Amino acid sequence: MASVTQSLRAISSLGGIIHRFSQLSVSTKLLKSPLQSTSPIVLTQLRSNFHTSSSRHDLMEFFDRKEVWGHSSILVGRPWRKDELRLKSNQDLHKLWYVLLKERNMLLTMEAEYKRRQELFPNPERIEKVEESMENLQDVVTERDNAISLLENGEPVDKGGYYVQDFLGRTVYRRRIEYAIPPNMNKMYRLLYPRVFRKQNMKYLALYREKIAKKRYAAHMRAKERNKKLIAKFPHLEGKLEEPTFKEPEVV
């Protein structure tokens, strides 16, 4: 009799454990796929956690507002300044970058559409203002990256560049960027920038310098003749035009 009661107790406890595991599995399913729940309360709570702007997801995102279509001028503001961007957080700068990128794409699309219709694009300086804002934003982000890199590594992120001699003997400027292959294993790099310069290329280097000197002298003479024609046509410009100066090519 005692063995029967013990077995019944074990069965009842096992049933309780199974029931708890079934509840746990149901709750995990709800956590994994909350959108499958038919309860409107759950959906309302999920929607309240997201804060987004009005999304349209159609081709009208590439065009300006319909209220300004056909207007000869549109009121626009000035570009973002660096002092203003430095006061913003990284998250705000990230959002602002995509806002400016979207605005630039829209303006370029509108400009192409106006050209296709052979009409005058209103306020084309808007594109320049957006691009200036994007450049200022990039400069601010670079400043912050350099500051963090100086604190952590002791050197800026943008390491600039260096001068190297190519296979023709010219001294060229190369920016420091990362490569998957080191220079001593890169065949193309070793061909373009050899460590040892051949003396046979000296005559070609002299001809190259002479070619640069001729081009600079020709540009100098064209500018001088243009100034003479302008002074002959407009005498009041005499003394106001800058005299073109000829610079000898630097010996490399």
Side-chain angles (χ1 to χ4, degrees), residues 162 174-183 186 189 192-193:
Y162 59 97
R174 285 180 55 84
R175 293 187 59 84
R176 297 183 184 273
I177 56 178
E178 295 183 0
Y179 289 94
I181 305 175
N186 193 338
Y189 182 86
L192 294 177
Y193 308 99

Side-chain angles (χ1 to χ4, degrees), residues 36-224:
Q36 294 178 358
S37 176
T38 57
S39 176
I41 299 175
V42 177
L43 294 178
T44 305
Q45 292 176 353
L46 290 173
R47 285 197 300 268
S48 63
N49 294 332
F50 293 93
H51 301 278
T52 58
S53 59
S54 59
S55 58
R56 289 181 291 184
H57 303 297
D58 55 3
L59 292 178
M60 293 306 296
E61 292 283 331
F62 290 94
F63 295 91
D64 207 346
R65 306 185 313 274
K66 292 185 178 180
E67 293 81 8
V68 298
W69 288 5
H71 290 194
S72 59
S73 62
I74 301 174
L75 295 177
V76 294
R78 57 171 176 80
W80 286 88
R81 299 171 181 171
K82 292 183 181 181
D83 297 337
E84 299 171 345
L85 296 173
R86 290 190 182 100
L87 301 176
K88 294 187 174 295
S89 62
N90 293 335
Q91 186 177 5
D92 292 340
L93 292 179
H94 188 79
K95 294 177 182 178
L96 180 58
W97 173 262
Y98 282 100
V99 171
L100 294 172
L101 182 63
K102 183 179 177 181
E103 184 74 12
R104 189 188 66 175
N105 292 341
M106 182 272 294
L107 292 174
L108 293 176
T109 305
M110 292 295 295
E111 185 183 25
E113 181 64 18
Y114 273 89
K115 288 182 179 179
R116 187 184 68 84
R117 297 173 62 90
Q118 297 182 357
E119 296 181 3
L120 184 62
F121 180 58
N123 298 89
E125 69 275 2
R126 289 184 290 172
I127 301 176
E128 298 179 358
K129 291 181 179 180
V130 172
E131 291 179 349
E132 183 180 352
S133 300
M134 297 178 74
E135 290 177 359
N136 292 338
L137 196 151
Q138 283 184 337
D139 293 341
V140 172
V141 172
T142 303
E143 289 176 0
R144 296 185 180 182
D145 291 341
N146 288 333
I148 294 174
S149 181
L150 285 172
L151 289 174
E152 295 179 349
N153 305 323
E155 56 183 10
V157 176
D158 187 9
K159 299 179 182 179
Y162 59 97
Y163 289 94
V164 64
Q165 199 174 39
D166 62 357
F167 66 101
L168 294 177
R170 301 172 302 179
T171 302
V172 295
Y173 181 80
R174 285 180 55 84
R175 293 187 59 84
R176 297 183 184 273
I177 56 178
E178 295 183 0
Y179 289 94
I181 305 175
N184 58 342
M185 299 175 59
N186 193 338
K187 295 182 180 180
M188 185 60 66
Y189 182 86
R190 286 185 297 173
L191 289 174
L192 294 177
Y193 308 99
R195 295 183 178 179
V196 181
F197 176 67
R198 297 180 180 178
K199 295 182 179 180
Q200 294 85 347
N201 295 338
M202 290 298 296
K203 58 179 180 180
Y204 301 108
L205 186 60
L207 294 175
Y208 175 73
R209 292 170 179 165
E210 183 180 356
K211 182 179 179 180
I212 294 178
K214 287 182 178 180
K215 286 186 176 181
R216 292 182 177 178
Y217 182 74
H220 166 75
M221 294 304 296
R222 285 196 300 269
K224 199 170 184 180

